Amino acid sequence: MMLDAAAAEILVVDDTPANLKLLTELLTAHGYRVRPAATGELALRSAAAKRPDLALLDIRLPDVDGFEVCRRLKASRADSDIPIIFISALHDTTEKLEGFAAGGVDYITKPFAAEEVLARVQTHLELQRLRRDLEESNREMEARVRERTRALEETNRALRESEEKYRLLVENQTDLVVKVDAENRFLFVSPSYCQVFGKTEAELLGKNFMPLVHEEDRESTAQAMEDLFRPPYRDYHEQRALTQEGWRWFGWADKAILNQDHNVIAIIGVGRDITERKRIEEALRASEGKFRTVVQNAQAITFILDRKGVFLLSEGQGLARLGLSPSQVVGVSAFDLYKDYPSVVTSIRKALSGELTRVTNVLGDVVFDTVYSPYYDPDGQLSGIVGIAVDITERKRAEEELQRHREHLEERVAERTADLRQAMAQLIQTEKLAALGSLVAGVAHELNTPLGNARAVA
């Protein structure tokens, strides 16, 4: 707080009316507000009623001397910092020392000069202002320090909690966590890393990790580490490493740590064993290769259309029968490619509406038995059509040939049946005549036998 002449209030204590009047007029003339007091008790009551900014205090007073008044003011918590300048006609050093011991800040000797009084008053008011400013600054600084201390304590507490959570996370997770310097030397290794590689933390810290990497993967790993020194300062790479169980595949997600100058000072890596995934991918690639070989060499066409009827895939030897290759079909609309074949267009439209369709399509001199099956995404939305068209041209020709043979055979059977029926009728007629002849012969025999006997008797 600035103490200037307009604001400063000075308590003047002197039992000599002439001195009291002189000091009051002098100070008032220079803009100070003055409260005069002729006794020590009156001075104490005035200070208790309202704290002055400075006091000019005579030592010789009729009731309580100036030293005692000073000691009482300094004993008061509210008035202890009031600058007190003693006024005395004495020049005794012992008395001055007693005044300083009581709490005074300066002395003015009588008879006093106006310039000296004003200079000393102004000096101690300025010192008081500076002291108050300093105290205020100290209070503000202490408040900021307390606030900063609380913030630091809170930050440290949160940091300890975070470190504890991080420690628990690192120590109990199955993923591998490492920290290396710019020369690929270990600065930190998680317990899981030590366990996988069968090494202690002491055996790994300060060592380069590259000797653990498979020889065939060291070049790609080195390139990946170099990439971390350029934006975006992160990388993912896969490598084989020699663990206590042998060579295993690991996928590493790495991130560089930068200093204020954007220089890489360390690298954090999180790794995961992907050996099983690699095995599955290899088996899948082999399976896909076999499947593609089968599809490409099958006497059929395997195809996939998107929801607009555009070919996403078209493979198989059947394409050659149409004078086409996969590169001529993929990316082309089936509606455009087969616009001259209404059965194909109609079947595709049905399948795109969600209807499973099977139809025999005659494309020139080639016949296909085709199935159009709609397929859907995980949300149940129609994604397109997957289908297969089997070349049944030869089968159709065989069926037609068989049908012709069947019809010819049926004609021959009908002709043979007619001949048999005619022969059977002739045979029946012949058998009937033969039976009649035998009957006539028998009757004649029976008639001839009695007649012969009769002739013999006669």
Side-chain angles (χ1 to χ4, degrees), residues 11-29:
L11 175 63
V12 179
V13 186
D14 198 314
D15 63 337
T16 301
N19 290 338
L20 191 62
K21 181 176 183 296
L22 177 62
L23 289 171
T24 299
E25 290 177 350
L26 174 64
L27 294 171
T28 301

Side-chain angles (χ1 to χ4, degrees), residues 180-181 183-186 204-212:
V180 299
D181 62 16
E183 303 298 326
N184 297 333
R185 292 173 298 208
F186 287 113
L204 293 170
L205 294 182
K207 303 296 194 313
N208 193 298
F209 71 80
M210 197 63 78
L212 297 172

Side-chain angles (χ1 to χ4, degrees), residues 18-301:
N19 290 338
L20 191 62
K21 181 176 183 296
L22 177 62
L23 289 171
T24 299
E25 290 177 350
L26 174 64
L27 294 171
T28 301
H30 285 80
Y32 295 106
R33 292 176 294 154
V34 180
R35 283 188 290 163
T39 66
E41 290 293 342
L42 182 60
L44 290 171
R45 289 196 297 271
S46 177
K50 185 178 180 182
R51 180 185 181 285
D53 295 308
L54 183 141
L56 292 175
L57 180 59
D58 190 12
I59 294 176
R60 303 302 180 191
L61 296 173
D63 51 353
V64 182
D65 65 29
F67 296 137
E68 181 61 23
V69 172
C70 182
R71 280 191 285 269
R72 290 186 188 183
L73 289 174
K74 294 300 178 180
S76 171
R77 184 174 183 179
D79 303 325
S80 62
D81 64 339
I82 298 174
I84 297 176
I85 300 175
F86 284 108
I87 302 172
S88 175
L90 300 176
H91 297 277
D92 185 11
T93 300
T94 301
E95 187 177 66
K96 290 181 179 181
L97 292 176
E98 184 179 358
F100 287 125
V105 296
D106 205 350
Y107 258 91
I108 298 177
T109 58
K110 298 178 183 179
F112 41 75
E115 292 80 2
E116 180 185 4
V117 171
L118 292 173
R120 292 183 183 275
V121 167
Q122 181 61 39
T123 296
H124 287 289
L125 285 175
E126 181 64 16
L127 289 174
Q128 176 73 339
R129 181 190 69 79
L130 293 174
R131 183 167 53 251
R132 289 181 179 178
D133 289 346
L134 180 60
E135 290 174 352
E136 180 65 23
S137 297
N138 287 339
R139 284 192 295 271
E140 293 177 357
M141 181 64 70
E142 288 173 358
R144 287 198 295 268
V145 169
R146 287 194 297 272
E147 181 63 28
R148 181 61 177 165
T149 300
R150 284 194 297 269
L152 288 174
E153 290 175 350
E154 181 64 24
T155 300
N156 288 334
R157 183 189 64 78
L159 181 60
R160 285 193 298 271
E161 292 179 355
S162 176
E163 289 176 346
E164 178 64 16
K165 292 177 181 178
Y166 176 76
R167 183 185 65 80
L168 292 173
L169 175 64
V170 170
E171 291 182 355
N172 293 281
Q173 70 170 345
T174 57
D175 286 346
L176 315 182
V177 181
V178 299
K179 181 179 181 181
V180 299
D181 62 16
E183 303 298 326
N184 297 333
R185 292 173 298 208
F186 287 113
L187 300 175
F188 169 83
V189 287
S190 65
S192 56
Y193 189 95
C194 296
Q195 181 180 2
V196 167
F197 287 89
K199 297 182 181 295
T200 65
E201 184 179 38
E203 291 175 317
L204 293 170
L205 294 182
K207 303 296 194 313
N208 193 298
F209 71 80
M210 197 63 78
L212 297 172
V213 179
H214 196 286
E215 290 184 359
E216 296 178 0
D217 298 330
R218 289 179 185 176
E219 183 177 353
S220 62
T221 299
Q223 182 60 53
M225 299 304 292
E226 290 180 9
D227 290 342
L228 291 167
F229 288 78
R230 296 184 291 271
Y233 302 105
R234 59 179 68 242
D235 176 72
Y236 175 82
H237 64 279
E238 298 177 353
Q239 61 176 220
R240 285 163 289 181
L242 185 58
T243 71
Q244 61 179 343
E245 296 181 358
W247 293 106
R248 305 283 295 180
W249 276 99
F250 293 91
W252 286 96
D254 298 332
K255 185 178 186 300
I257 299 175
L258 309 180
N259 60 15
Q260 293 180 345
D261 297 326
H262 293 282
N263 294 321
V264 176
I265 58 174
I267 296 167
I268 297 293
V270 178
R272 177 169 297 181
D273 190 326
I274 59 172
T275 305
E276 191 60 30
R277 195 202 78 191
K278 282 287 189 179
R279 290 173 180 168
I280 294 173
E281 288 176 351
E282 183 62 30
L284 182 59
R285 281 193 294 269
S287 177
E288 287 177 346
K290 293 177 182 179
F291 175 75
R292 182 167 291 276
T293 299
V294 170
V295 169
Q296 290 176 343
N297 292 279
Q299 297 300 315
I301 303 173

